[in-house]
Amino acid sequence: MSKEEQIKDEVSFETAMQQLEDIVGKLEEGDVPLEKAIEYFQKGMELSKLCHDKLQHVEKQMDFILREDGELKPFELQEEERS
């Protein structure tokens, strides 16, 4: 695992979202120098990708359920039988 991947794993989704919201707030204030705004934008894009990747990972985990015997089985919704 690369150092960048390790750092991404250490940052929680909630922490990344909070940092992203802080950046958006700073950019919305409008009085940020151009160079700093570009820096914030780049950091925001990294955080956005990190959040997206974490959500996709969770979505893939949700596709499977753990059976009582410890085996993973694809999750399928079953419609209730109508009488």
Side-chain angles (χ1 to χ4, degrees):
M1 178 181 292
S2 71
K3 187 171 183 171
E4 184 176 313
E5 289 173 335
Q6 187 176 2
I7 290 171
K8 285 181 181 179
D9 284 346
E10 291 174 0
V11 176
S12 70
F13 176 82
E14 291 77 13
T15 300
M17 279 299 295
Q18 183 60 53
Q19 290 175 352
L20 188 55
E21 287 175 6
D22 292 346
I23 288 172
V24 170
K26 289 174 184 173
L27 290 173
E28 285 180 344
E29 290 175 4
D31 57 348
V32 179
L34 180 61
E35 293 81 15
K36 195 68 176 173
I38 291 170
E39 183 181 317
Y40 284 149
F41 179 79
Q42 289 174 332
K43 180 67 177 172
M45 292 302 292
E46 290 173 14
L47 290 167
S48 175
K49 182 178 181 330
L50 189 148
C51 290
H52 177 75
D53 291 349
K54 286 186 180 281
L55 286 174
Q56 278 193 325
H57 179 72
V58 169
E59 187 177 305
K60 286 179 184 174
Q61 286 180 323
M62 296 296 291
D63 288 342
F64 290 90
I65 59 172
L66 187 61
R67 294 176 20 172
E68 289 179 14
D69 61 0
E71 181 180 336
L72 285 175
K73 177 182 176 188
F75 179 73
E76 297 174 8
L77 288 177
Q78 297 178 357
E79 291 185 31
E80 292 182 27
E81 290 184 13
R82 296 183 184 183
S83 52

